[in-house]
């Protein structure tokens, strides 16, 4: 009877049912009468927990919980009941752990360690496991991940029941997350979810899936986060379980959808749940759903739509500390997404004031870091430095060593001071691998700016070593990109292999991967142009990689990145002896640079256009384009471009082949190598056309198959009856195919011919027919 009452009381704790406390109290009396000491301990802890969670829900200090725990702590000490004393110490540790501030948490740590020592002396394994789990959480919050990992391993080694095993797995996940190993943390939480599923505990299963979603997002595994949050939300709905868990799962689901470029769908979902929460008389969750709508719209193409739900959220009856400051920061994010940095700064300043008024250290530091970002992007170095220094002071005062280290890295970038990086690394005694990797990236960038390439490479390779252990493939691909670029700058042969490894890691469809994939593809183009281009394999790689980079850049929505991809595509056609094909891409890149008001990049595009015009024999037009490039370069102070343009013009006036300027590199369009220096593509296709009406079917078919393989990966089997789409061709490569045909077969086809005759055989027959008319 007592055990059943206690079980019902513990189940009621999650929802804080009023009868839960009464049942725990009744069970306590029964356990005392029956002389069941362990039952007494569990019933008391349930009663303390009820008061503690009620206070947390209402934003009160847990005075009733404290009094209950302290009174019984003294009773147990007087009676010499050491296990009872340790159980009350555990309850006190949990209360102090919930409160913010290092002093309270250090007190909690002391209580928990004392309790653990008693349980070990008494050989109370069940409670020893419980103490290790609380220790793991405490070490996690105190930013001591190695100790958290040790505590979780101890708990897992001694856990007996499936429920305690599941909790120990979650504790291990916490420890991994504290070290920045979010992918591994998500995997451990998934193991815990499986344990609870096997036990039929749907509520605990769903709560673990929420953790899977949270850490998968941090590991950039957006599809895993989407799947886990969807399943968690579905279970909570089936159980009719609230207590904020539905809104938490909804939050991670919306975040996953936004990351996967489905912001409108996420906003619609949040609005539907807002209506449901209002119907269920859950105002806090309804307000959170309004906030989520704002977040979703801020990540869409129409960020102005975020303002209305965020304003409604700010007026919601929520008393939670930091709520108003958080909404103001969300409003700032919507203004930033819309390009209004002045309005964003106003909102962030208001958020900073609100956080300070509530003594919300975390909100204060977050507002200052976002203010830093806005000032830095606006080019206001002094204001950015001031914000970073203020944020560091707040982090230091609140004992947030991780935040302080990151603020030091911001100062290192602003001040170009590598000593700040070493200060940050020294602070990371907590083995925070992710922040250490950030520090090494900053150090590498600083060393490169100082032209210390070997030192920059050393830091970049150390960063890569650390990142490989984090399980974040996106971050690893970024690190590989940095290492490859430094190998290129040093003339090392390892650059291509490193870039290819990064490209393989960036093959996911997540929107976040796309910009990185474009950069890696363009870097590979840059690395390949130095290879002997008479080799068909090198030419195929150039065409394939530059075409893919352009196609992916078109999906990103970043016009600067698309301009860069267009520029490189033009460059590739130029060095392959196809200046007419390259001109259209170079002009489109120029037009984008004009739209973006990037004068330096526009100058480079004009120089590219001049080189391509000259390569196809339009000397006067080339001179005009070069003059435009020279004027733009002078207006924006690009001395290197001025010199390159002048060299080009001098070579034209002397009727000499123009010199080849330096190979372009990310992040913006730069100069192209001289296209006339590359072997002519026409030389490689002799013998197919020998005058009007002399096309030979077998030679035309063979040439078409060769073109298709060149424009695609060349790995699939291509035959006469292969459809162009099945061979892996898209609209871009279709245009390239038509350009090849017009040149080598002396035709005047339009790009639509690939759609009119969708297989190689059909196009072969059409070409032969046309040649005989």
């Amino acid at each position: 009877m007592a055990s059943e009452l206690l079980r019902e009381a513990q189940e009621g704790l999650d929802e804080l049912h009023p009868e839960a406390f009464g049942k725990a109290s009744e069970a306590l009396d029964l356990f005392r009468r029956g002389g069941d000491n362990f039952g007494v301990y569990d019933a008391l802890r349930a009663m303390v927990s009820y008061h503690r969670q009620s206070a947390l829900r209402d934003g009160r200090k847990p005075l009733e919980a404290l009094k209950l725990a302290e009174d019984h702590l003294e009773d147990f000490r007087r009676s010499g009941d050491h296990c009872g004393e340790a159980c009350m110490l555990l309850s006190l540790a949990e209360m102090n752990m919930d409160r913010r501030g290092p002093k309270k948490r250090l007190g909690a740590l002391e209580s928990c360690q004392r309790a653990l020592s008693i349980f070990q002396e008494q050989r109370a394994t069940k409670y020893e496991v419980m103490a290790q789990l609380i220790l793991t959480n405490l070490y996690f919050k105190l930013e001591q991940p190695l100790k958290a990992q040790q505590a979780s391993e101890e708990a897992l080694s001694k856990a007996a029941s499936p429920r305690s095993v599941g909790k120990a797995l979650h504790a291990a996940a916490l420890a991994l997350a504290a070290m920045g190993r979010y992918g591994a943390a998500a995997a451990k939480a998934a193991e815990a979810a499986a344990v609870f599923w096997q036990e039929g505990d749907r509520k605990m299963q769903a709560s673990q899936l929420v953790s899977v979603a949270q850490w998968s997002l941090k590991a950039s595994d957006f599809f895993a986060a989407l799947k886990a949050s969807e399943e968690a939300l579905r279970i909570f709905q089936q159980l009719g379980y609230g207590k904020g868990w539905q809104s938490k799962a909804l939050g991670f689901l919306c975040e996953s959808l936004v990351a996967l470029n489905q912001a409108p769908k996420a906003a619609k979902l949040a609005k539907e749940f807002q209506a449901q929460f209002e119907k269920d008389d859950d105002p806090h969750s309804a307000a959170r759903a309004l906030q989520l709508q704002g977040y979703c719209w801020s990540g869409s193409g129409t960020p102005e739509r975020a303002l209305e739900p965020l304003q409604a959220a700010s007026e919601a009856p929520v008393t939670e500390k930091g709520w108003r400051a958080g909404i103001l920061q969300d409003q700032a994010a919507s203004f930033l997404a819309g390009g209004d940095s002045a309005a964003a700064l106003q909102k962030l300043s208001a958020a900073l004031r609100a956080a300070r008024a509530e003594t919300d250290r975390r909100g204060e530091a977050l507002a200052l870091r976002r203010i830093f970002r806005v000032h830095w992007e606006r080019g206001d170095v002094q204001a950015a430095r001031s914000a970073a220094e203020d944020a560091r002071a707040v982090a230091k005062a609140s004992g947030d060593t991780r935040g302080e280290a990151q603020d030091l890295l911001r100062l290192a970038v602003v001040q170009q001071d590598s000593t700040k990086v070493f200060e940050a690394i020294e602070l990371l005694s907590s083995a925070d691998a992710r922040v250490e990797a950030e520090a090494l990236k900053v150090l590498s960038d600083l060393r490169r700016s100082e032209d210390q390439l070997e030192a920059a490479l050393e830091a970049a390779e150390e960063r890569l070593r650390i990142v490989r252990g984090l399980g974040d493939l996106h971050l690893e691909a970024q690190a590989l990109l940095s290492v490859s670029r430094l190998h290129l700058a040093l003339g090392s042969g390892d650059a291509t292999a490193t870039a290819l490894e990064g490209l393989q890691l960036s093959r996911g469809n997540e929107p976040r991967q796309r910009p990185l994939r474009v950069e890696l593809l363009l870097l590979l183009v840059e690395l390949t142009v130095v290879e002997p281009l008479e080799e068909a394999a090198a030419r195929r790689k150039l065409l394939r990689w530059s075409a893919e980079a352009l196609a992916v850049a078109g999906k990103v929505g970043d016009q600067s990145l698309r301009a860069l991809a267009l520029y490189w595509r033009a460059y590739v056609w130029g060095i392959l002896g196809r200046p007419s094909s390259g001109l259209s891409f170079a002009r489109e890149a120029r037009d984008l640079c004009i739209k973006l008001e990037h004068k330096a990049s526009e100058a480079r595009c004009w120089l590219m256009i001049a080189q391509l015009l000259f390569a196809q024999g339009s000397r006067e037009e080339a001179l005009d384009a070069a003059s435009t490039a020279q004027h733009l370069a002078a207006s924006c102070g690009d001395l290197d471009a001025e010199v390159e343009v002048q060299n080009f013009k001098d070579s034209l006036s002397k009727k000499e082949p123009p010199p080849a300027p330096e190979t372009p590199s990310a992040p913006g369009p730069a100069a192209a190598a001289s296209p006339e220096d590359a072997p002519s593509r026409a030389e490689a296709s002799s013998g197919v056309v020998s005058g009007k009406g002399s096309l030979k079917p077998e030679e035309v078919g063979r040439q078409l198959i060769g073109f298709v393989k060149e424009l695609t990966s060349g790995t699939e089997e291509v035959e006469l009856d292969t459809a162009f789409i099945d061979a892996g061709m898209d609209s871009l490569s279709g245009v390239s195919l038509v350009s090849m045909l017009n040149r080598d077969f002396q035709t005047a086809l339009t790009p639509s011919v690939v759609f009119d005759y969708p297989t190689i055989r059909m196009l072969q027959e059409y070409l032969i027919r046309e040649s005989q008319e």
Side-chain angles (χ1 to χ4, degrees), residues 516-560:
L516 177 61
R517 184 164 183 78
V518 173
E519 290 187 66
L520 284 160
L521 285 162
L522 295 182
L523 177 59
L524 283 165
V525 170
E526 184 175 354
L527 290 163
T528 306
V529 295
V530 298
E531 297 180 18
L533 294 181
E534 62 271 12
E535 296 291 332
R539 288 158 50 179
R540 279 199 300 271
K541 285 187 290 187
L542 283 174
L543 287 167
R544 184 173 77 249
W545 285 333
S546 61
E548 185 182 349
L550 184 55
V552 177
K555 297 176 182 178
V556 172
D558 184 334
Q559 298 286 22
S560 296

Side-chain angles (χ1 to χ4, degrees), residues 271 274 286-287 289-295 297-298 302-316 327 330-331 334-335 347:
K271 189 171 184 178
Q274 176 204 341
L290 279 166
Q291 184 186 29
L292 281 172
Q293 289 173 58
Y295 165 78
W297 287 123
S298 293
T302 54
E304 66 278 2
R305 295 184 66 177
L307 296 176
E308 184 180 343
L310 287 174
Q311 181 59 37
S314 71
E315 297 166 359
I327 295 297
D330 288 344
Q331 289 173 328
S334 70
F335 282 121
K347 290 293 182 183

Side-chain angles (χ1 to χ4, degrees), residues 22-332:
K23 287 182 178 180
S25 181
E26 190 178 347
L28 175 63
D29 289 339
L30 291 172
F31 284 130
R32 277 176 173 163
R33 289 176 200 167
D36 185 343
N37 288 339
F38 290 110
V40 168
Y41 308 150
D42 291 340
L44 274 173
R45 277 182 48 78
M47 292 165 68
V48 172
S49 183
Y50 179 87
H51 282 313
R52 176 175 64 86
Q53 292 186 55
S54 296
L56 280 173
R57 179 195 61 188
D58 300 336
R60 298 180 287 107
K61 291 184 178 180
L63 299 178
E64 295 138 314
L66 281 167
K67 187 175 187 314
L68 187 61
E70 287 170 351
D71 286 350
H72 283 87
L73 175 63
E74 290 306 313
D75 290 342
F76 286 130
R77 279 176 174 167
R78 279 194 297 268
S79 65
D81 187 339
H82 297 302
C83 273
E85 175 190 351
C87 282
M88 291 303 97
L89 284 170
L90 274 190
S91 292
L92 288 169
E94 287 178 297
M95 274 182 273
N96 285 320
M97 178 174 66
D98 285 334
R99 301 185 193 181
R100 291 178 182 173
K103 288 184 180 178
K104 290 291 184 185
R105 285 179 180 155
L106 286 173
L109 180 63
E110 186 179 343
S111 296
C112 193
Q113 287 172 330
R114 172 63 183 148
L116 176 62
S117 177
I118 293 171
F119 291 139
Q120 288 172 335
E121 289 170 5
Q122 299 294 315
R123 297 186 180 179
T125 306
K126 168 189 167 183
Y127 294 105
E128 185 182 341
V129 170
M130 193 183 301
Q132 294 285 14
L133 294 177
I134 294 172
L135 269 179
T136 303
N137 209 340
L138 269 166
Y139 284 130
F140 175 78
K141 293 185 176 184
L142 288 167
E143 298 179 9
Q144 298 182 41
L146 293 179
K147 289 184 177 180
Q149 185 178 38
Q150 183 180 1
S152 69
E153 288 172 353
E154 285 289 329
L156 195 55
S157 69
K158 295 185 177 181
S161 68
R163 185 175 182 83
S164 60
V165 168
K167 287 187 173 182
L169 284 167
H170 178 69
L174 272 179
L176 289 165
M179 290 185 281
R181 297 177 60 192
Y182 297 120
K188 282 290 182 189
E191 284 185 56
V195 170
F196 290 120
W197 174 76
Q198 288 173 353
E199 287 300 298
D201 191 337
R202 304 294 305 287
K203 195 181 296 181
M204 286 298 294
Q205 177 196 357
S207 68
Q208 292 305 306
L209 286 169
V210 168
S211 294
V212 173
Q214 178 184 9
W215 290 321
S216 294
L217 279 168
K218 287 183 176 291
S220 305
D221 192 347
F222 303 125
F223 286 114
L226 179 68
K227 182 180 177 182
S229 56
E230 279 182 330
E231 179 65 8
L233 189 55
R234 185 182 66 80
I235 294 171
F236 285 136
Q237 284 182 292
Q238 287 177 348
L239 296 174
Y241 184 63
K243 200 192 168 187
W245 279 102
Q246 283 192 40
S247 65
K248 184 179 283 190
L250 175 65
F252 292 133
L253 176 53
C254 288
E255 193 173 341
S256 304
L257 288 168
V258 170
L260 292 168
N261 223 20
Q262 298 182 55
K265 178 180 178 180
K268 181 181 177 184
L269 188 66
K271 189 171 184 178
E272 290 171 358
F273 271 89
Q274 176 204 341
Q276 185 61 50
F277 292 142
E278 287 173 349
K279 183 179 177 182
D280 294 341
D281 194 25
D282 185 350
H284 188 279
S285 293
R288 171 65 176 143
L290 279 166
Q291 184 186 29
L292 281 172
Q293 289 173 58
Y295 165 78
C296 297
W297 287 123
S298 293
S300 73
T302 54
E304 66 278 2
R305 295 184 66 177
L307 296 176
E308 184 180 343
L310 287 174
Q311 181 59 37
S314 71
E315 297 166 359
V318 177
T319 57
E320 179 184 312
K321 185 177 181 179
W323 175 260
R324 175 167 166 72
I327 295 297
L328 285 165
Q329 294 203 44
D330 288 344
Q331 289 173 328

Side-chain angles (χ1 to χ4, degrees), residues 444-755:
S444 177
D445 291 343
L446 288 173
R447 291 292 184 249
R448 180 162 188 169
S449 69
E450 296 162 356
D451 206 29
Q452 298 181 38
L453 297 182
E454 293 285 356
L457 178 60
E458 183 180 348
E461 288 181 330
E462 177 62 14
R463 175 200 178 203
L464 176 60
R465 184 190 67 77
I466 292 171
V467 164
R468 286 192 193 278
L470 294 178
D472 187 333
L473 299 184
H474 180 75
L475 196 60
E476 188 175 343
Q478 285 182 324
L480 285 162
L481 174 64
S482 298
V483 170
S484 181
R485 282 177 173 162
L486 285 164
H487 277 306
L488 173 62
L490 286 163
S492 166
D494 294 331
T496 299
T498 309
L500 282 170
E501 186 181 352
L503 186 66
Q504 186 64 34
L505 293 178
S506 70
R507 286 197 178 275
N509 287 321
E510 298 95 335
R512 187 182 177 190
Q513 295 277 49
R514 291 170 185 163
L516 177 61
R517 184 164 183 78
V518 173
E519 290 187 66
L520 284 160
L521 285 162
L522 295 182
L523 177 59
L524 283 165
V525 170
E526 184 175 354
L527 290 163
T528 306
V529 295
V530 298
E531 297 180 18
L533 294 181
E534 62 271 12
E535 296 291 332
R539 288 158 50 179
R540 279 199 300 271
K541 285 187 290 187
L542 283 174
L543 287 167
R544 184 173 77 249
W545 285 333
S546 61
E548 185 182 349
L550 184 55
V552 177
K555 297 176 182 178
V556 172
D558 184 334
Q559 298 286 22
S560 296
L561 197 61
R562 177 168 169 75
L564 179 61
L566 284 163
Y567 179 89
W568 273 102
R569 185 66 171 167
Y571 174 84
V572 166
W573 281 125
I575 64 172
L576 292 181
R578 296 284 302 281
S580 58
S581 297
L583 270 171
S584 62
F585 293 106
R587 285 169 175 153
E588 191 176 348
R590 173 205 60 195
D591 293 344
L592 270 180
C593 291
I594 293 171
K595 181 180 177 181
L596 295 167
E597 298 182 355
H598 291 174
K599 286 191 175 182
S601 297
E602 184 190 345
R604 297 286 180 170
C605 290
W606 275 110
L607 177 56
M608 167 77 79
I609 290 168
Q611 293 167 324
L612 294 172
L613 285 167
F614 178 77
Q616 71 173 16
S618 304
R619 186 173 179 279
E620 294 305 316
E621 288 182 68
L623 278 171
D624 289 343
S627 297
T628 302
Q630 194 168 34
H631 173 74
L632 282 166
S635 69
C636 61
D638 189 341
L639 297 178
D640 289 340
E642 278 193 84
V643 170
E644 288 177 29
V645 176
Q646 189 57 54
N647 289 341
F648 176 81
K649 292 175 74 174
D650 289 346
S651 66
L652 290 188
S653 63
K654 296 174 185 177
K655 297 186 179 181
E656 295 176 357
E662 293 182 6
T663 303
S665 61
S674 179
E676 62 275 7
D677 291 339
S680 169
R681 286 285 305 271
E683 296 171 7
S685 57
S686 58
V688 178
V689 180
S690 58
K692 182 74 170 175
S694 61
L695 290 180
K696 299 176 181 179
E698 63 279 4
E699 291 179 351
V700 172
R702 185 165 53 249
Q703 189 74 344
L704 277 170
I705 289 172
F707 283 159
V708 169
K709 285 185 174 180
E710 188 168 336
L711 290 167
T712 59
S713 65
T715 59
E716 299 293 332
E717 187 66 30
V718 178
E719 300 174 347
L720 283 176
D721 291 317
T722 299
F724 294 117
I725 191 170
D726 292 338
M729 292 185 63
D730 54 19
S731 56
L732 187 62
S733 52
V735 172
S736 301
L737 175 63
V738 170
S739 299
M740 294 175 177
L741 296 175
N742 287 337
R743 182 204 64 215
D744 292 350
F745 293 167
Q746 301 175 17
T747 55
L749 305 175
T750 63
S752 64
V753 72
V754 178
F755 300 98

